[in-house]
Amino acid sequence: LLGLDSSDALRRSQRVGSVFENLVYLEIAKSLAHRGRHRPIHFYRSHDGTEIDFVVAEAERLHLVEVKLDEDARTPKAFAVLTQAIGEERVASRSLVVPARGVADRHGVLVRGPIGAWPF
């Protein structure tokens, strides 16, 4: 659909970030559906431009997911901004998704690849 004929063409494309973000969205939706947890997947954007790619509600708490192509990406400041606005008790998990395998905990933020078990 994008007119890209190889993985190299995708890597060079300006749309590679959007394609990766779409993959993550589909993995989240698939994971929720397979476990019978039909929840809407939202995004967060404030008036000042602070944003979080995906927000999944579970009861009264929120799972925050940010997607970055850089495997060495820093923990998004948006996590702290939203957490301060709604309160720590309302945040169920924070995930930074990068194109890597495995899961690591970085001071309360799960740094993970797009495939695998989600905390919600």
Side-chain angles (χ1 to χ4, degrees), residues 50-54 64-66 75-84 91 93-96 109-110:
T50 300
E51 62 180 36
I52 297 174
D53 293 323
F54 305 114
L64 312 179
V65 180
E66 182 66 21
T75 300
K77 291 180 183 176
F79 285 173
V81 170
L82 184 57
T83 299
Q84 183 177 12
V91 177
S93 70
R94 298 169 190 85
S95 296
L96 174 60
V109 174
L110 297 176

Side-chain angles (χ1 to χ4, degrees), residues 104-116:
D105 188 306
R106 188 188 298 163
H107 307 290
V109 174
L110 297 176
V111 180
R112 52 164 296 134
I115 312 297

